[in-house]
Amino acid sequence: MLALMLASFSGFAQQQNQNRGAANAWRDRMRSEMIAFFTSEIGLTPAEAQVFWPVHNQVEQEQMKLIQKVGEAYMALEKALDSKASESEIESKLVAYNKALEQRNQFDASLMTRYSKVLSKEKIAKLYVAEEKFRRNQIHRLHVPGPNSPQNNGRQAQR
């Protein structure tokens, strides 16, 4: 029985590692696609790319922390509502959520200044447009199955 439990746990751990590996591979592929797309859309020279990408990577890390903070504040607010918390507790969660949103918005507003240190205004504008185009392309890819996807049963995607 112990051997069966250990084998089950081992199989579960291997599946978890495969899932993590697939997620990392997907994330790496998305990152590579994004870098190629942005570099092309913005028209970055090699010299510009060398100074732009470290700034952009730092911005992304900071954005992810702020997005996480907004998400945590939202979940706390939702939990307070679901648990029928007091009016004052709901108010404090609502204030925290709005503060997190405000911090994220202030950060977003500061980006042009940060990017101005490494890119021209035209290329910053191209970056903003490229970000939106890339986001929309990714959403489109999620909703329009490819020719070999399970949703399509091998048929060509209808566009």
Side-chain angles (χ1 to χ4, degrees), residues 27-35 53 56-57 60:
R27 196 173 301 115
D28 291 345
R29 191 184 78 231
M30 289 278 86
R31 182 109 181 109
S32 295
E33 288 178 17
M34 182 194 72
I35 289 170
W53 285 111
H56 188 269
N57 293 342
E60 267 189 335

Side-chain angles (χ1 to χ4, degrees), residues 53-65:
W53 285 111
V55 172
H56 188 269
N57 293 342
Q58 181 65 37
V59 163
E60 267 189 335
Q61 287 177 0
E62 292 173 31
Q63 279 176 327
M64 290 308 297
K65 287 177 185 174

Side-chain angles (χ1 to χ4, degrees), residues 33-100:
E33 288 178 17
M34 182 194 72
I35 289 170
F37 186 81
F38 283 16
T39 300
S40 172
E41 288 287 312
I42 300 167
L44 293 175
T45 66
E48 288 171 328
Q50 191 172 7
V51 293
F52 166 74
W53 285 111
V55 172
H56 188 269
N57 293 342
Q58 181 65 37
V59 163
E60 267 189 335
Q61 287 177 0
E62 292 173 31
Q63 279 176 327
M64 290 308 297
K65 287 177 185 174
L66 291 169
I67 289 168
Q68 183 178 358
K69 192 173 182 177
V70 168
E72 289 168 356
Y74 172 82
M75 289 180 9
L77 177 61
E78 187 176 43
K79 185 177 178 183
L81 289 170
D82 289 345
S83 68
K84 307 270 192 240
S86 69
E87 187 73 16
S88 64
E89 189 175 341
I90 290 172
E91 180 184 14
S92 76
K93 302 298 182 195
L94 186 58
V95 167
Y97 177 65
N98 281 317
K99 183 178 178 184

